[in-house]
Amino acid sequence: LIPDLIRAFVSGKPGLIRNPSAYRPWQFVLEPLRGYLLLAERLSQNASHFASGWNFGPADADAQPVSWIADELAQSWGNGASWIQDSATYPHEAHALKLDASRARAYLGWYPILPLKPALEWIVEWYRGFQAGADLGHLTRSQIARYEALLQD
């Protein structure tokens, strides 16, 4: 969804959304990545105890409808960015999806730390940098450092 919306915004066209009312679990890429790294550390310490399936999902408040994500991205992007519902016919999709990350919280002490709204702002910041030809390695490391700082709070 997000790359498609950004491509539309860059081209000055409205993004096409199949199912604006669908609820999905949204999170910034560093959230599950931190969970996987924590899990790898624990696996190296006690593989038999931690070798099983894990979910690293967002906070319940960050399960939002697709339309909310599209609205927030369009507002953050500016320049008249918008979206419309796609009128094409698609196969049925589940209305609401959710991940249960309670096991990761209980056994790994993992929990999401970056709320969805700032995460979307970071995404726009990164894509704006990409569009401007910025040093994406530097920008990405900067975002990782900001994310790590959230762990210290």
Side-chain angles (χ1 to χ4, degrees):
L1 172 71
I2 291 173
D4 289 343
L5 285 171
I6 298 295
R7 277 190 291 274
F9 298 166
V10 167
S11 71
K13 298 177 184 173
L16 296 176
I17 306 292
R18 286 192 312 263
N19 190 355
S21 64
Y23 272 77
R24 300 291 182 255
W26 307 98
Q27 64 186 345
F28 195 65
V29 67
L30 294 178
E31 298 281 33
L33 200 60
R34 181 173 54 88
Y36 290 124
L37 290 171
L38 181 58
L39 177 59
E41 180 181 332
R42 298 291 168 81
L43 283 166
S44 73
Q45 297 165 353
N46 186 350
S48 63
H49 184 70
F50 291 98
S52 60
W54 295 87
N55 285 326
F56 300 102
D60 288 342
D62 288 340
Q64 293 289 337
V66 170
S67 61
W68 188 90
I69 297 296
D71 288 342
E72 290 294 321
L73 280 175
Q75 180 180 352
S76 186
W77 188 265
N79 297 337
S82 65
W83 63 272
I84 57 174
Q85 185 166 357
D86 191 342
S87 60
T89 303
Y90 293 95
H92 172 74
E93 295 180 46
H95 177 70
L97 300 177
K98 189 173 180 180
L99 288 172
D100 180 2
S102 60
R103 189 163 182 260
R105 287 180 183 89
Y107 292 99
L108 299 174
W110 177 91
Y111 54 90
I113 60 169
L114 181 61
L116 183 56
K117 192 164 182 154
L120 293 173
E121 292 167 1
W122 289 21
I123 290 167
V124 167
E125 174 188 42
W126 193 92
Y127 276 106
R128 285 279 191 203
F130 172 76
Q131 186 183 24
D135 179 345
L136 294 179
H138 181 277
L139 178 55
T140 301
R141 286 188 296 277
S142 170
Q143 287 188 343
I144 291 169
R146 279 191 279 161
Y147 182 80
E148 288 175 330
L150 293 174
L151 288 168
Q152 308 309 314
D153 291 345

